[in-house]
Amino acid sequence: MTSSSEKSILNGISGSAYPGEILALMGPSGSGKTTLLNVLGGRFNQQNTSGSVSYNDKPYSKHLKTRIGFVTQDDVLFPHLTVKETLTYTALLRLPKTLTKQEKEQRAVSVIQELGLERCQDTMIGGSFVRGVSGGERKRVCIGNEIMTNPSLLFLDEPTSSLDSTTALKIVQMLQSIAKAGKTIVTTIHQPSSRLFHRFDKLVVLSRGSLLYFGKASEAMPYFSSIGCSPLLSMNPAEFLLDLANGNMNDISIPSALKEGSSCSKIRPPKSTPTAVYELYHINCDVDAETQYLEEAYKTQIEVMEKKKLMEPVPLDEEVKLMITCPKREWGLSWWDQYCILSLRGFKERKHDYFSWLRVTQVLSTAIILGLLWWQSDIQHPKVYKIRYEIMFMVGLLFFIAVFWGFFPVFTAIFTFPQERAMLSKERESNMYRLSAYFVARTTSDLPLDLILPVLFLVVVYFMAGLRLRAESFFLSVLTVFLCIVAAQGLGLAIGASLMDLKKATTLASVTVMTFMLAGGYFVKKVPMFIAWIRYMSFNYHTYKLLVKVQYEEIMQDVNGEEIVSGLKEVSALVAMIIGYRLLAYLSLRRMKLHTST
């Protein structure tokens, strides 16, 4: 496999794994383990590579994804969902529509029992700022998400990383029980303990993208001893193999041919070469020679025999044949059902953030401060003085409300897609749902939550400041602020989805929001014509005009009795922003590389 710059990543890798077996991919960092696993799982960007992937002589297709499970190295889970909720939502979304909801929920319960998660099934997953289950339990939940569909083939990328030896052993024992059920398991592993090593059925040892060994794990040590490489002291077989792959021969006996001189010993650096560089040259030269020796030994002693085995036809069961030849991708649920489940899942996950004490305190404290600064201001002035230039002290409050509920949602929404990108990519790779169903659910499930804090804010400010005491005026003010929030969220979603970089997105949002605020109709009354178009794109501008109209409708007329502020025009502008910004965000997500069709 090569990239556009012709960089060699993997060279002539071959091997096989059968049902009931665990194949481990070992090698030092940068040897190509994860790349090989991603290629086999169909999760590598094929645009910049050459080569093909086939399963049992059939070309790889996206329809096979239902028969393949892939557990990434990072545990990508929603922190505020419990273990049971996480696996239940996975079952509802991924299992075929031929099963009822009760059958899918029962499958989730079975997986919990199979993975030994009964004790923590009602505990939150947890994360950086949320206490939850242990690392081993998180990894088991990730594995549970992938075995939910009963896949024939399961890939795992370093499932024991960051786990202690005992927990890692439990994970591997669990994989053994899954394999015994007739599954094929392929996993990368960096440096397993000796107890873990002896539980693998087959082993692939990689070094800089080349194959040093493929065969039974129990036969690896005898093989390397047969070619003259054996440990000089007792050590973990995995450590010995990694030393070989790294070219570290300090505690390893090597063939006499390598001791006498490497294949590059005839090439000498210039005499003027510094001593340190000279020594580094010989170190690299020896490493290259030793690695080349191991590669050649594998090619002459094992590779030919293994390739003959690979040429033998493998019988396919009828279910796999059907999946290979199936011309149409099948979704587990209809679009509407996907939307409903994703909305419910999103609501449960994000309600904790919406009602965190920090956010509620921020909103309430701002409302109280505003109420105290404008305490009963509107009531203290007789109606006769309510002409345009005498109500400026009140429109300042209305403008701040428009700015606050425009600024606050933008910088909250910016984080939405960049933070959920890993989850979206993982679930879309598994064909769990349509991108359109996810997007609509993600942008509408929060709407009920978006209404609660603004209402609480306006109740405090409205009556403390003594704004227009009419039910109609209050509810129209709430509706105006709500439209502003949804429009501002759309801008944040569009910026976040377009850039997918929080630093760049925050910078762009800061400049945009500041520009909208300045052009919002309060600081600058007469904007020059060549730049006046900016104010019509500003949700602050339209929100401010609507709030002023709601509070002082009787004076929003010119000398001819015609309205200066048209409520319908302002509402239409906000609705257009709500739709336009979200459409831009959706199109940006479609362009995002998820390695799957959208």
Side-chain angles (χ1 to χ4, degrees), residues 363-364 367 398 401-402 405 451-465 467 473-482 485 547 551:
V363 171
L364 278 180
L398 300 180
I401 293 174
W405 289 109
L451 193 57
I452 296 174
L453 286 182
V455 170
L456 187 62
F457 175 90
L458 285 175
V459 166
V460 175
V461 172
Y462 207 89
F463 297 103
M464 287 184 70
L467 292 173
S473 299
F474 175 77
F475 288 113
L476 286 176
S477 297
V478 171
L479 178 60
T480 300
V481 170
F482 182 68
I485 291 172
L547 288 175
Q551 293 300 315

Side-chain angles (χ1 to χ4, degrees), residues 410-411 491 495 505-518 534 537-540 581:
V410 168
F411 287 91
L491 176 63
I495 293 175
T506 304
T507 302
L508 178 59
S510 299
V511 175
T512 304
V513 170
M514 182 181 65
T515 304
F516 284 178
M517 180 182 67
L518 293 175
I534 293 179
M537 297 178 61
S538 168
F539 39 77
N540 299 132
Y581 286 141

Side-chain angles (χ1 to χ4, degrees), residues 541-552:
Y541 173 72
H542 299 289
T543 303
Y544 169 59
K545 291 182 71 175
L546 277 174
L547 288 175
V548 171
K549 175 180 172 56
V550 169
Q551 293 300 315
Y552 306 109

